[in-house]
Amino acid sequence: MSGLSTLPLVVIGLSLIGLLAVVVWFVRRQRYLKSLRDRGWTFVGSPSFATVARLNNPPFGLGFKRSPDDQITGLTSTGRPFQVIEYGSEYWKGWVGMVTLSRRLPELWITGGQTGPRAGVSATMVPVPAQLGSGWTVGVQDPAFANEVLSGQLCTALLALAGSQPGVNLSIDGDQLVIQDPPHKDSELLAPWLEQLAAIAAAIDATPLDHWIQPEREARLGFYQHPDWYWIGQDDSLLQSTPTTRGGHDHSTSDVIRGRDGDGPPFVAFTHHWKTTRTETSTDSEGRTTTRTVTENHSEPILGFELPVHMPWIQVSRRGLGAGISFESEAFNKRFAIHARDQKFAYDVIHPRQMEFLMATQPAPFQVVGNWAWFEPGRHDHQTIARNSLILRDFLAWIPRFVWKNLGLQDAPYPPR
């Protein structure tokens, strides 16, 4: 009995410990927020997506689920706007700090010390200025930009920042100078850190780079290195015009994206969700019967590209149960199944060089229906969209000019690269 009598005391004790922890957290939180306000800074616990909508380079510009969280904003001592924000996506979660530059510039990546490259970055590595020394990397899209922006003043400011922290992971994203892992927990540390970041921005602003100014980008969810992609989110009207599964109920769309890559065909991509319901009947050991309703959730990725003209139906898929049309290459016939209602059209399109291209790229199965090419991508993410976009554009480029003329076009719409 004595053991049972002590149980309520244990519960009460644990509750008091939990309550004390909450009180301590709350007091520290309020002190932290006051320290921000005392500096004239603003704290927002749930910022809108607009706070990062204009940022497009990693850790931004990747994935479909992007979530800004706690945000600190204000001005440095020189009046330069800054933002320190917690940010998460499927690819990364953490804190970033940034200050505003006077111009929108090409992307630039600088890392030094105990840090690694950012996930998803595609850049050309260039020689590091001797003033920086060893342990640094610099990446750009155009090496000529790196040659101009890496001034002696910038190197000095970078070394000063590196001397106060284990690593530097910095980038230019439009008119923002962005760096990962700011000391956000302590305003006494954050304030001088922001001044150092502002000094780096000042060095960049002082360099004559006006001929590198980039065009203004619309403030919407974009995708890294895909300037013509844009996020829609949900558009259930697509269910009426796309080849989605028709059975079941409660159909909806999510993560809808539209766009194109360069001169390639425009696309629409999304995830289709629906439900199915069935009734299950079971009998227990005493002969009693029960019935229950089971609802299952389903989803499928949808990816389609709009073509410039109506084309005969043709399907390109991996070799399966159906052999399809036989071509002169046995190696191709063993790996691909081509089906078409117009066999001559299939032979015109799937010529030897097209076969070589398909063998080399191994695209996801797709079929041309009217003026759309519909893929079976297997998953819905921006890497899959980008890969199939590139493959289809080159597939169309290998279609002979006379085929396009027979379809009513004056010339081939996709010249070979």
Side-chain angles (χ1 to χ4, degrees), residues 208-230:
L209 299 170
D210 283 356
H211 54 291
W212 288 102
I213 291 178
Q214 303 295 293
E216 184 68 28
R217 188 168 54 232
E218 187 174 347
R220 64 185 182 189
L221 192 152
F223 294 84
Y224 177 57
Q225 295 196 343
H226 297 282
D228 295 323
W229 291 21
Y230 60 98

Side-chain angles (χ1 to χ4, degrees), residues 57-351:
N57 297 339
F60 311 101
L62 299 175
F64 301 152
K65 312 299 182 186
R66 309 182 192 181
S67 175
D69 206 338
D70 289 355
Q71 176 201 38
I72 306 166
T73 59
L75 300 175
T76 66
S77 63
T78 56
R80 191 178 295 271
F82 75 82
Q83 175 182 201
V84 176
I85 191 167
E86 187 178 13
Y87 178 81
S89 72
E90 301 103 306
Y91 298 89
W92 185 84
K93 183 175 177 61
W95 282 80
V96 290
M98 64 199 79
V99 296
T100 302
L101 299 168
S102 63
R103 298 158 290 193
R104 293 185 57 82
L105 296 173
E107 61 185 271
L108 172 74
W109 308 92
I110 301 176
T111 60
Q114 299 175 21
T115 186
R118 298 189 195 180
V121 171
S122 175
T124 300
M125 296 297 109
V126 297
V128 176
Q131 184 176 346
L132 281 180
S134 61
W136 292 83
T137 62
V138 177
V140 287
Q141 297 301 308
D142 189 335
F145 176 64
N147 292 336
E148 295 186 42
V149 73
L150 291 171
S151 65
Q153 183 181 351
L154 175 58
C155 291
T156 298
L158 286 169
L159 290 170
L161 179 63
S164 63
Q165 59 185 67
V168 174
N169 195 321
L170 179 144
S171 68
I172 292 178
D173 191 341
D175 64 353
Q176 298 295 305
L177 185 65
V178 182
I179 189 166
Q180 289 185 348
D181 302 320
H184 63 278
K185 295 181 179 180
D186 187 340
S187 64
E188 292 295 325
L189 298 177
L190 182 58
W193 182 89
L194 287 167
E195 296 303 321
Q196 290 180 314
L197 191 58
I200 296 174
I204 295 172
D205 285 349
T207 306
L209 299 170
D210 283 356
H211 54 291
W212 288 102
I213 291 178
Q214 303 295 293
E216 184 68 28
R217 188 168 54 232
E218 187 174 347
R220 64 185 182 189
L221 192 152
F223 294 84
Y224 177 57
Q225 295 196 343
H226 297 282
D228 295 323
W229 291 21
Y230 60 98
W231 167 270
I232 294 174
Q234 183 171 358
D235 182 2
D236 290 350
S237 68
L238 290 168
L239 299 173
Q240 308 304 316
S241 58
T242 56
T244 58
T245 298
R246 299 300 180 185
H249 56 92
D250 290 350
H251 294 261
S252 65
T253 60
S254 69
D255 297 331
V256 179
I257 301 171
R258 287 187 179 273
R260 68 188 307 168
D261 286 304
D263 65 348
F267 71 82
V268 61
F270 60 94
T271 299
H272 168 221
H273 306 273
W274 75 100
K275 298 177 180 179
T276 56
T277 303
R278 69 178 190 275
T279 300
E280 289 186 351
T281 301
S282 60
T283 304
D284 62 20
S285 59
E286 298 180 3
R288 291 175 299 201
T289 300
T290 58
T291 301
R292 69 187 186 108
T293 299
V294 178
T295 299
E296 295 181 328
N297 296 304
H298 309 271
S299 65
E300 63 183 350
I302 302 294
L303 174 61
F305 295 83
E306 189 174 10
L307 304 175
V309 67
H310 190 284
M311 301 178 73
W313 179 80
I314 185 171
Q315 182 181 63
V316 177
S317 59
R318 306 290 172 82
R319 180 66 178 266
L321 296 177
I325 299 171
S326 179
F327 293 86
E328 60 188 50
S329 169
E330 283 303 316
F332 181 81
N333 291 333
K334 289 179 179 179
R335 298 181 72 174
F336 286 89
I338 308 297
H339 296 85
R341 296 192 180 100
D342 184 338
Q343 196 167 83
K344 180 182 182 306
F345 176 76
Y347 284 123
D348 289 341
V349 170
I350 311 296
H351 51 78

